[in-house]
């Protein structure tokens, strides 16, 4: 009985999302290739056809593997898709990596999409879900200021709902690990630079080659320290190859390599936010 109730609930959730999307004329879906944006892009295309277009922001903060996965997904599902190159790393406010870094990132995306919006009259859709609303996400504020819409929130979908509906639809992203931008790996207050982002990407590529699909390499101490986050179930396996991992991450440019004894968790850098004023005062 519970399985049937669960399936009925997911069908209801999907229908709510479809009904919400049907109220739009044209949409530009901000598409990173993750589970949330993949579901939104797929359902929007199913409802609106070619009036729903996926758009991916390209910069040094997007891992190459995520860009390739985004292109492959849209081709597989025949979703119209294009890329825009954003300039957030040319913005001093973004490079400074304060608590509102994501605000400047989203602003760069919206600025890049202005010509497309003016030409098509489309609104921008952001794949925020209900669970995201309780986290520190200044990019959402930038999106609201620019009139973006949040269809997953309007349909009352949680992350679990997104994954369940994606499984029902047969989307390959249903169980894809979350993958935030590379800049989220840099400790607040340390500057974001292309060189550091490339080193973080190279370090995470090493972990992927060793079979750690769900991982983060967090950079601290102005990029000298790599703090590796893994699910607790992967700790023993990482310990078994610790010498190889340490050598590979040092080759990527890190002086010190650590594995966090706490399991991987999204947004773990946010624990530093209360310390930012103290740090700035100390520096001054």
């Amino acid at each position: 009985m519970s399985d049937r109730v669960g399936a009925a609930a997911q069908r209801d959730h999907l229908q709510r999302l479809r009904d919400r999307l049907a109220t739009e004329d044209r949409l530009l879906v901000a598409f990173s290739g993750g589970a949330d944006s993949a579901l939104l892009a797929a359902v929007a295309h199913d409802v609106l056809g070619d009036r729903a277009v996926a758009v991916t922001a390209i910069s040094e903060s997007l891992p190459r593997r995520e860009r390739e996965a985004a292109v492959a997904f849209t081709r597989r599902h025949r979703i119209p898709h294009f890329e825009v190159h954003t300039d957030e790393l040319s913005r001093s406010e973004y490079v400074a990596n304060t608590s509102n870094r994501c605000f400047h990132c989203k602003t760069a995306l919206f600025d890049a999409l202005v010509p497309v919006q003016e030409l098509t009259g489309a609104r921008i859709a952001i794949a925020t879900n209900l669970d995201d609303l309780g986290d520190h996400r200044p990019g959402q504020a930038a999106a609201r200021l620019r009139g973006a819409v949040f269809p997953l929130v309007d349909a009352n979908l949680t992350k679990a709902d997104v994954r369940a509906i994606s499984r029902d639809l047969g989307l390959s992203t249903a169980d894809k690990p979350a993958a935030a931008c590379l800049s989220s790996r840099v400790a607040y207050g340390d500057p974001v630079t292309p060189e550091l982002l490339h080193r973080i990407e190279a370090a995470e590529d090493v972990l992927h080659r060793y079979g750690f699909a769900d991982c983060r390499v967090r950079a601290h101490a102005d990029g000298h320290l790599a703090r590796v986050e893994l699910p607790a179930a992967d700790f023993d396996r990482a310990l078994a190859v610790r010498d190889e991992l340490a050598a590979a991450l040092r080759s990527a440019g890190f002086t010190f390599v650590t594995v966090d004894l706490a399991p991987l968790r999204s947004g773990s850098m946010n624990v530093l936010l209360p310390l930012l004023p103290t740090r700035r005062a100390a520096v001054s």
Side-chain angles (χ1 to χ4, degrees):
M1 177 66 73
S2 60
D3 288 344
R4 289 198 297 272
V5 171
Q10 296 311 324
R11 286 194 298 270
D12 180 60
H13 291 157
L14 175 58
Q15 190 58 51
R16 287 205 306 268
L17 178 59
R18 291 176 60 86
D19 290 344
R20 169 63 185 86
L21 291 168
T23 67
E24 299 290 339
D25 181 30
R26 296 178 182 275
L27 282 180
L28 296 173
V29 179
F31 180 61
S32 66
D36 298 323
S37 62
L39 176 65
L40 182 57
V43 178
H45 180 249
D46 187 47
V47 172
L48 299 175
D50 289 350
R51 291 181 291 128
V53 177
V55 56
T56 302
I58 305 300
S59 75
E60 286 89 349
S61 66
L62 179 71
R64 182 192 67 259
R65 61 185 175 273
E66 293 300 321
R67 180 180 184 180
E68 294 170 351
V71 171
F73 182 89
T74 54
R75 287 178 177 172
R76 187 180 313 121
H77 295 279
R78 299 181 179 180
I79 299 170
H81 176 236
F82 69 94
E83 298 175 337
V84 293
H85 289 263
T86 53
D87 66 349
E88 62 266 28
L89 281 167
S90 69
R91 302 182 180 213
S92 59
E93 303 92 343
Y94 182 91
V95 173
N97 197 22
T98 59
S99 61
N100 64 347
R101 180 195 66 241
C102 292
F103 180 93
H104 302 293
C105 177
K106 279 292 189 292
T107 298
L109 170 62
F110 297 136
D111 287 348
L113 290 179
V114 165
V116 182
Q117 285 190 285
E118 291 178 345
L119 181 65
T120 65
R123 295 212 286 180
I124 300 173
I126 305 296
T128 299
N129 65 63
L130 281 180
D131 294 330
D132 295 330
L133 298 181
D135 199 0
H136 174 73
R137 295 177 184 260
Q140 294 175 11
R144 292 189 182 92
L145 286 174
R146 301 298 280 268
V149 296
F150 302 82
L152 300 182
V153 172
D154 295 340
N156 293 315
L157 299 188
T158 65
K159 188 70 171 187
D161 295 328
V162 166
R163 294 197 182 280
I165 294 170
S166 296
R167 289 188 202 101
D168 290 343
L169 295 178
L171 300 183
S172 59
T173 51
D175 297 308
K176 182 178 179 179
C181 79
L182 291 172
S183 296
S184 69
R185 277 61 154 171
V186 182
Y188 288 115
D190 288 352
V192 177
T193 66
E195 184 270 340
L196 179 55
L197 297 181
H198 294 159
R199 288 201 285 121
I200 292 170
E201 181 174 11
E204 292 191 352
D205 283 344
V206 168
L207 290 166
H208 288 144
R209 288 198 295 274
Y210 274 86
F212 299 103
D214 198 6
C215 64
R216 296 286 188 278
V217 174
R218 312 284 192 188
H220 296 263
D222 291 320
H224 292 292
L225 170 66
R227 177 172 59 87
V228 178
E229 290 185 8
L230 298 168
D234 287 340
F235 283 0
D236 288 343
R237 193 156 55 90
L239 186 62
V241 292
R242 64 185 182 278
D243 292 337
E244 295 96 321
L245 292 180
L249 267 63
R250 284 196 295 269
S251 295
F254 293 98
T255 306
F256 303 102
V257 179
T258 69
V259 175
D260 198 323
L261 293 178
L264 171 67
R265 61 276 191 202
S266 177
S268 69
M269 285 295 197
N270 290 341
V271 301
L272 297 175
L273 290 175
L275 304 179
L276 287 181
T278 302
R279 172 172 181 165
R280 285 197 293 267
V283 170
S284 63

